[in-house]
Amino acid sequence: MSLKSRLAEDRVLVAPGVYDALTASLATDAGFEALYLSGAAIAYTRLGRPDIGLVSMTEVAETITLVRDRVATPLVVDADNGYGNALNVERTVRLFERAGASAIQLEDQSYPKRCGHLQDKTLIGQGDMVGKIKAALDARRSAETLIVARTDAVAVEGFERAIERASAYAEAGADVLFVEAPRSANQLAEVTKALGHTRPLLANMVEGGDTPLASAADLGALGFRLVIFPGGIVRALARTAQAYYGSLAKAGTNTPFADRMFDFGELNALIGTPEMLARGRAYEGAERAPAGAMEGSAQ
């Protein structure tokens, strides 16, 4: 089922954050129907830096390609502010769509951007963002590739202006609306009341961020159709890694930490090493085998 078809259903969809092929495969194995490729998570893990516009378009495109080579799960991709003006947005959409993005998220921040839950953000004009959305729609090759329009106006211009901006982005043709960082449960409810009849709505859950945490079920009951947890995996892994390195530095061995990690065989089983080696053996000596022999050996 395509992401577009899934969002048309009257039930909430959860997309956990991923940042590489391994996390994408683990999330897929856990049963998620969609994934969210987080620009912040790429910055955290690939650069060891905050989400302040340091990640490039090509770095994200490369990550999409690697994730798509590993899993077929629908992928919502964080494209920041399109990495420039409307012409940059066109190139971004073409590149990300070819790489395998199912949905491309664009925000109305200026350049360089900041994480939606950091302070001192600045925005481009509403008209300029409308132009970017139209450029994105013109650049995509398939209507199945969704354009997600995000506004960061709550923190900059206030809640009412955020609703006005999101309404304008819906009129411009955006497929999904994302009002970033509502400050209260009441504001979350007001987002769905004002915009729920226009487009599917996305809610962003950030541990320690500006928006109060809620379950996907509760957000779905409010009227949100898509709920993302973009950076949770990095926060979980960073805490585990910090504990692991501290243990190793103190003990000089992994023995004290062994019950909190996979061993060599378990990790290889998880990533499919035996199956891949078996597939490789099926091709060995292919140049000497009769034409029909390979077909039988691969079954």
Side-chain angles (χ1 to χ4, degrees):
M1 179 183 295
S2 71
L3 181 62
K4 184 176 183 179
S5 298
R6 176 62 179 81
L7 287 176
E9 297 184 359
D10 188 21
R11 56 191 179 102
V12 70
L13 174 63
V14 176
V18 302
Y19 60 84
D20 64 3
L22 177 62
T23 51
S25 66
L26 293 172
T28 296
D29 289 346
F32 288 101
E33 300 176 77
L35 309 173
Y36 182 82
L37 182 58
S38 164
I42 294 174
Y44 299 154
T45 58
R46 187 163 183 163
L47 307 181
R49 296 293 186 184
D51 180 22
I52 53 173
L54 300 175
V55 176
S56 70
M57 173 181 63
T58 53
E59 287 172 322
V60 178
E62 179 185 19
T63 306
I64 299 169
T65 301
L66 293 171
V67 168
R68 185 53 75 222
D69 187 60
R70 184 66 176 85
V71 301
T73 314
L75 188 65
V76 181
V77 177
D78 178 3
D80 287 348
N81 50 17
Y83 311 100
N85 63 17
L87 297 180
N88 297 101
V89 166
E90 286 184 334
R91 182 167 181 246
T92 297
V93 169
R94 289 195 298 265
L95 185 60
F96 285 12
E97 184 179 39
R98 285 198 302 269
S102 307
I104 300 168
Q105 175 194 301
L106 298 165
E107 65 197 35
D108 56 9
Q109 284 196 52
S110 60
Y111 194 85
K113 56 77 53 82
R114 289 174 180 255
C115 170
H117 291 256
L118 290 175
Q119 303 308 307
D120 299 322
K121 297 180 288 186
T122 57
L123 307 181
I124 62 173
Q126 178 177 303
D128 290 334
M129 182 60 179
V130 165
K132 283 188 175 187
I133 293 168
K134 291 181 177 179
L137 296 170
D138 288 342
R140 68 181 178 185
R141 295 180 61 106
S142 170
E144 292 293 315
T145 303
L146 304 181
I147 302 301
V148 180
R150 165 178 145 179
T151 179
D152 286 72
V154 172
V156 181
E157 299 175 343
F159 183 76
E160 294 302 324
R161 277 291 294 140
I163 297 300
E164 291 174 9
R165 278 181 174 259
S167 297
Y169 303 161
E171 291 177 8
D175 301 293
V176 178
L177 300 178
F178 176 5
V179 176
E180 174 65 299
R183 300 300 179 89
S184 66
N186 182 63
Q187 285 191 352
L188 283 168
E190 287 298 315
V191 168
T192 60
K193 181 179 178 181
L195 301 169
H197 64 286
T198 61
R199 295 289 190 277
L201 302 179
L202 183 155
N204 180 19
M205 293 290 100
V206 176
E207 301 80 11
D210 291 331
T211 303
L213 295 180
S215 70
D218 288 344
L219 291 165
L222 280 179
F224 288 97
R225 195 64 55 81
L226 176 62
V227 180
I228 62 173
F229 295 81
I233 182 61
V234 182
R235 283 182 277 278
L237 288 177
R239 185 164 184 174
T240 300
Q242 186 180 64
Y244 163 76
Y245 288 124
S247 174
L248 180 58
K250 180 179 180 180
T253 173
N254 282 331
T255 300
F257 211 82
D259 62 344
R260 288 184 279 172
M261 59 193 292
F262 291 118
D263 68 18
F264 182 76
E266 290 169 334
L267 181 60
N268 275 286
L270 184 71
I271 62 177
T273 301
E275 293 82 0
M276 290 198 73
L277 292 177
R279 285 215 321 271
R281 285 193 295 271
Y283 291 99
E284 292 175 1
E287 72 281 1
R288 299 186 300 275
M294 277 303 300
E295 296 179 6
S297 64
Q299 292 177 353

